[in-house]
């Protein structure tokens, strides 16, 4: 197989040097690609195992040197507005920088999510160069780099034939070019969730409003430079205090961020609190909805109106609103009701914040 690959690569190069037309070859070790707007699916994955991405609003392009990683992301993020999902395989011909260069002609892809195990000769510099141009256009490039340990590098070499190279040099070059590098797969998924809902978002001061003390404390621990908690001016603190008094929380809750509304908070209380925060320094609001209290209507149908009101508020004020529902699978319909309104939903406060940090 190696001999055939070398021969094919040589023939392609020779034909191109002579100016003859040649096909662009994807793979080998290639699971396929999806272009939902054109109803294109070249994969061999049965539809009962993995549904094709939705067709509307494809602002996200996913490019992966691992087919299984790509499939897992599509399965975990079924509402992600994917316009292109491409498994690169062993990159005998078409490599990552080639695809990025082709995407320069497609400004509809505002977000590029990349899984990389390594770079072939000259590919790191080429990737950084085209990435810098894409970033200058206002696009976001979110990259998870695998193969960082000695064992991971060996696995990458046997998996895709990728060359690991000097990790520190590669990371420095890519960061300088404007790539957002994620330390974990969880941060990659969380960053994609934010970008799927708000493709042009840029991280800024964060306001956290929750009904659980532990989420408030967790947020306080995690919101450190470069991602920080929003600060409140005296007039906003006074408005917040008046709201807490009206909700019967005046003696229980301090008017500061992160804001713990306690399990006594209703959907209306959350909406009023978010409204108070509009016009402050907060660019992002995270709502922690631990769902076990009777004050929250967690039936899927009942939650839709609340979710739509939050989405309308985000659009009206030009802020990003994300929701955390830290609970088990029984509350999946609740999460789905919220995501149906176009809001990103997370299962842990930590995930929501780490996703934002990955974009910082």
């Amino acid at each position: 197989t190696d001999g055939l690959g070398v021969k094919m690569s040589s023939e392609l190069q020779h034909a191109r040097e002579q100016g003859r037309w040649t096909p662009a070859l994807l793979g080998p070790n290639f699971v396929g690609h999806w272009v939902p707007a054109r109803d294109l699916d070249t994969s061999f994955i049965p539809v009962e195992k993995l549904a094709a991405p939705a067709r509307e609003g494809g602002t996200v392009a996913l490019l992966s040197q691992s087919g299984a990683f790509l499939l897992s992301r599509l399965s975990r993020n079924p509402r992600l507005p994917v316009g292109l999902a491409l498994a690169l395989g062993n990159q005998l011909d078409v490599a990552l920088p080639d695809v990025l260069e082709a995407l320069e002609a497609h400004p509809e892809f505002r977000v590029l999510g990349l899984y990389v195990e390594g770079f072939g000769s000259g590919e790191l510099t080429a990737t950084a160069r085209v990435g810098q141009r894409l970033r200058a256009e206002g696009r976001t490039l979110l990259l998870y780099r695998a193969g960082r340990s000695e064992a991971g590098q060996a696995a990458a070499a046997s998996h895709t034939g990728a060359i690991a190279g000097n990790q520190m040099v590669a990371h420095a070059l890519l960061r300088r070019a404007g790539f957002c590098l994620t330390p974990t797969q969880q941060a990659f998924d969380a960053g994609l969730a934010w970008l799927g809902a708000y493709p042009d978002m840029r991280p800024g001061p964060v306001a956290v409003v929750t009904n659980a003390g532990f989420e408030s404390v967790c947020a306080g621990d995690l919101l450190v430079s470069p991602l920080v908690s929003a600060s409140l001016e005296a007039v906003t603190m006074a408005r917040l205090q008046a709201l807490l008094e009206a909700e019967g929380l005046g003696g229980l809750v301090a008017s500061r961020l992160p804001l713990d509304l306690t399990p006594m908070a209703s959907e209306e209380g959350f909406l009023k609190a978010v409204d108070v925060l509009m016009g402050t320094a907060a660019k992002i609001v995270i709502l922690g909805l631990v769902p076990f209290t009777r004050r929250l209507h967690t039936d899927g149908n009942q939650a839709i109106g609340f979710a739509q009101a939050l989405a309308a508020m985000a659009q009206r004020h030009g802020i990003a609103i994300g929701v955390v529902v830290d609970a088990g699978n029984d509350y999946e319909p609740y999460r789905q009701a919220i995501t149906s309104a176009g809001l990103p939903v997370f299962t842990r406060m930590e995930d929501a914040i780490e996703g934002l940090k990955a974009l910082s």
Side-chain angles (χ1 to χ4, degrees):
T1 303
D2 289 342
L4 178 60
V6 170
K7 181 179 180 182
M8 186 174 295
S9 180
S10 176
E11 291 290 338
L12 287 169
Q13 182 177 353
H14 179 66
R16 287 168 183 157
E17 288 172 352
Q18 293 185 328
R20 291 188 284 140
W21 178 89
T22 60
L25 298 184
L26 295 169
N29 191 20
F30 169 69
V31 301
H33 69 308
W34 294 257
V35 184
R38 300 193 178 185
D39 202 23
L40 177 63
D41 176 358
T42 66
S43 77
F44 54 81
I45 307 301
V47 292
E48 65 270 18
K49 289 287 187 177
L50 180 67
R55 295 190 61 170
E56 65 278 358
T59 57
V60 177
L62 292 177
L63 313 177
S64 176
Q65 289 181 345
S66 165
F69 183 90
L70 181 65
L71 299 176
S72 296
R73 303 287 69 72
L74 293 174
S75 179
R76 281 183 171 272
N77 304 277
R79 290 189 177 274
L80 193 67
V82 175
L84 169 68
L86 172 63
L88 293 163
N90 283 21
Q91 304 179 115
L92 172 69
D93 183 32
V94 174
L96 176 62
D98 301 315
V99 180
L100 292 176
E101 189 171 349
L103 290 176
E104 287 189 87
H106 294 273
E108 66 271 22
F109 295 119
R110 305 300 303 161
V111 177
L112 285 74
L114 317 172
Y115 171 82
V116 175
E117 293 180 353
F119 297 93
S121 178
E123 290 176 6
L124 172 59
T125 303
T127 296
R129 187 178 297 117
V130 67
Q132 190 171 33
R133 295 198 300 267
L134 290 165
R135 186 61 175 164
E137 296 175 2
R139 307 204 221 176
T140 299
L141 299 100
L142 185 69
L143 185 147
Y144 177 64
R145 175 67 192 274
R148 291 171 291 190
S149 67
E150 184 176 343
Q153 291 171 16
S158 63
H159 178 207
T160 61
I163 301 172
N166 187 306
Q167 298 294 307
M168 292 182 64
V169 171
H171 280 218
L173 183 60
L174 292 170
R175 282 196 182 280
R176 184 176 298 178
F179 286 78
C180 300
L181 305 184
T182 68
T184 63
Q185 291 183 29
Q186 292 93 326
F188 181 84
D189 284 345
L192 277 181
W194 281 111
L195 292 169
Y198 310 103
D200 296 317
M201 77 174 296
R202 296 291 179 265
V206 179
V208 172
V209 182
T210 175
N211 62 352
F214 87 92
E215 288 192 331
S216 178
V217 175
C218 176
D221 286 339
L222 294 170
L223 288 174
V224 294
S225 182
L227 189 69
V228 297
S229 178
S231 58
L232 300 180
E233 296 180 355
V235 63
T236 305
M237 293 179 67
R239 288 185 62 202
L240 198 54
Q241 187 60 43
L243 168 63
L244 294 173
E245 295 287 349
E247 293 290 314
L249 299 172
L252 297 174
V253 178
S255 54
R256 56 179 171 78
L257 296 175
L259 179 63
D260 174 15
L261 291 178
T262 81
M264 294 172 60
S266 64
E267 283 93 350
E268 187 65 23
F270 273 100
L271 290 173
K272 289 178 180 178
V274 173
D275 186 62
V276 168
L277 295 171
M278 297 302 99
T280 68
K283 301 298 182 184
I284 299 163
V285 175
I286 302 176
L287 296 187
L289 305 177
V290 176
F292 309 112
T293 168
R294 292 185 182 274
R295 297 284 282 164
L296 294 181
H297 299 93
T298 55
D299 176 85
N301 293 328
Q302 292 177 311
I304 290 176
F306 174 51
Q308 290 175 340
L310 286 172
M313 194 175 292
Q315 184 174 18
R316 185 164 60 250
H317 294 281
I319 64 167
I321 296 180
V323 177
V324 177
V325 180
D326 195 341
N329 292 335
D330 290 346
Y331 292 92
E332 195 57 34
Y334 186 43
R335 295 190 186 98
Q336 291 176 4
I338 298 169
T339 57
S340 69
L343 299 173
V345 177
F346 308 91
T347 57
R348 292 181 178 85
M349 182 64 67
E350 183 178 38
D351 291 343
I353 294 176
E354 291 299 329
L356 292 174
K357 283 184 177 180
L359 303 177
S360 300

